[in-house]
Amino acid sequence: MARSRSMSRYAYRGAAPRWPWALVVLALGLAAVVVLARAGRIDIPRLTPHVEQGASRPPQPAGAPAMASATSDELAASDEPTAATEPTAPPEDAAIPAAASPVATPVVPEKTPEQIAAAWVDDWNKGNYGGMYDFLSESARRTISRDAFVDRYLACADRAGLTGLHAAVAGGLTPGRQMPIAVDYDSSLVGRFSEQNAIPFTRDAGAWRVAWTPSLIFSDLGADGCVDVD
């Protein structure tokens, strides 16, 4: 007869598994480590990849910032304070530029009528007609240019056949502001002749000037402004 098997309620069921409790203990330990690390009581070393000398770095993705590398010497040098550069003083014998001074306008002493008359006859004797033109008044300059003034004297001398001339002051300034002069002419056409003339003066811009007219070349001129020789 077969024996039936039946399990009693008091039968052994085996020990309960312990791994859930181990996980709980491990989780509590990790939490304690994290709390202590944040409190500064435990220094957790950071793991950095070791790159051997001469080994190339792994390629970086496009757009990523370049990794800067520096040796310990370079880092130590960067931490040292930079000495301030002091300004260099100029040498004692260096020339100091002088301040620009305004250029003073030369003051030309005003000439008297006697001085102008003496210079006028002297320039005329030398044939310096440009120097004579410098004594003309402003109104006289408006009637004739420098070149025309010189050409007028040369043309009259050629028309009269003059080979020589001597002019001299013959008196003082008259009340009518005229300075008498005596002029001797040597002509190849009529020989020597003389005439009395006068230099008229006027005040122009506060200075004495010659109020020139063509009659100062010859006292009597023809209709063309030059002397008529028969």
Side-chain angles (χ1 to χ4, degrees):
M1 180 177 63
R3 187 180 294 179
S4 61
R5 297 181 178 179
S6 61
M7 296 185 68
S8 173
R9 60 178 181 178
Y10 300 104
Y12 175 73
R13 295 181 180 180
R18 299 181 179 179
W19 58 267
W21 293 101
L23 292 178
V24 172
V25 172
L26 179 61
L28 291 176
L30 291 177
V33 171
V34 172
V35 172
L36 293 177
R38 291 183 178 181
R41 297 184 179 182
I42 297 179
D43 186 10
I44 301 176
R46 297 182 180 179
L47 299 179
T48 55
H50 176 70
V51 180
E52 295 183 359
Q53 185 175 3
S56 59
R57 295 180 179 271
Q60 298 181 1
M67 296 178 62
S69 61
T71 63
S72 59
D73 294 338
E74 293 174 349
L75 293 175
S78 63
D79 293 337
E80 295 179 358
T82 303
T85 304
E86 297 182 357
T88 304
E92 295 180 357
D93 56 349
I96 300 176
S101 57
V103 179
T105 303
V107 178
V108 179
E110 180 184 349
K111 291 183 179 296
T112 64
E114 290 78 9
Q115 292 173 327
I116 295 176
W120 178 275
V121 296
D122 184 62
D123 288 338
W124 196 1
N125 291 333
K126 296 176 181 178
N128 183 18
Y129 306 122
M132 298 168 65
Y133 186 84
D134 292 338
F135 294 113
L136 265 60
S137 64
E138 185 64 28
S139 59
R141 290 169 185 259
R142 287 196 293 266
T143 63
I144 187 170
S145 66
R146 180 183 294 272
D147 292 340
F149 180 86
V150 173
D151 292 342
R152 177 70 64 86
Y153 272 83
L154 291 174
C156 288
D158 182 71
R159 178 78 176 269
L162 296 181
T163 58
L165 179 146
H166 179 73
V169 177
L173 186 66
T174 66
R177 296 183 175 182
Q178 292 187 342
M179 186 73 68
I181 59 174
V183 187
D184 296 328
Y185 302 95
D186 290 326
S187 171
S188 61
L189 300 178
V190 297
R192 178 180 287 256
F193 64 96
S194 301
E195 71 173 20
Q196 300 294 316
N197 211 329
I199 303 174
F201 284 92
T202 184
R203 296 289 291 181
D204 190 357
W208 289 104
R209 297 294 180 184
V210 176
W212 183 86
T213 62
S215 61
L216 262 179
I217 306 175
F218 291 103
S219 56
D220 296 321
L221 293 178
D224 59 354
C226 199
V227 64
D228 289 330
V229 179
D230 295 332

